Amino acid sequence: MPLDLNYHHLFYFWTCVRAGRVTAAARELHLSQSALSLQLKSLERALGKTLLTRSRMGVELTADGRLVYGHCERIFAAGDALSQALQGAKAEIAPVRLGVTAALGRE
């Protein structure tokens, strides 16, 4: 059964890890620290995994958190690439080739 992922929660998690602290991420995201903490807890609850350990020194990824963060890196890199492609920054578009096998009838 697929998970019901909230991509905003993934973005909040990704931002928090990159910032290194919940408070720094909350400022970057224009959220209160408590609101961001609730969103992170919602993600952990949805996944059924603890992703971060929190301390005075900041946040540290758990093993599951490293796995999720790796996926977030790819997800948001793909989003950036899409945004750039739509803005014309990357005009290289792979051609689409269509073909018909001889095994199909001509009708």
Side-chain angles (χ1 to χ4, degrees):
M1 183 169 161
L3 295 172
D4 186 21
L5 284 177
N6 180 318
Y7 287 90
H8 285 109
H9 291 166
L10 287 174
F11 183 74
Y12 296 155
F13 166 76
W14 181 68
T15 302
C16 187
V17 173
R18 291 176 53 230
R21 296 178 153 279
V22 175
T23 53
R27 273 193 302 273
E28 185 178 331
L29 294 165
H30 305 287
L31 296 172
S32 69
Q33 181 178 346
S34 60
L36 179 55
S37 290
L38 287 172
Q39 299 302 310
L40 295 171
K41 285 291 185 192
S42 292
L43 175 62
E44 289 178 326
R45 197 173 322 109
L47 297 175
K49 303 287 183 181
T50 300
L51 304 177
L52 299 168
T53 55
R54 297 155 182 86
S55 72
R56 288 186 191 175
M57 303 303 291
V59 294
E60 187 175 323
L61 289 168
T62 64
D64 291 320
R66 282 190 295 277
L67 176 68
V68 173
Y69 182 74
H71 282 276
C72 286
E73 284 282 280
R74 290 188 294 279
I75 289 166
F76 297 117
D80 286 343
L82 173 60
S83 179
Q84 289 176 7
L86 290 173
Q87 293 174 9
K90 292 186 178 180
E92 296 179 26
I93 298 175
V96 176
R97 302 196 194 297
L98 301 176
V100 178
T101 178
L104 296 176
R106 292 183 184 224
E107 293 124 14

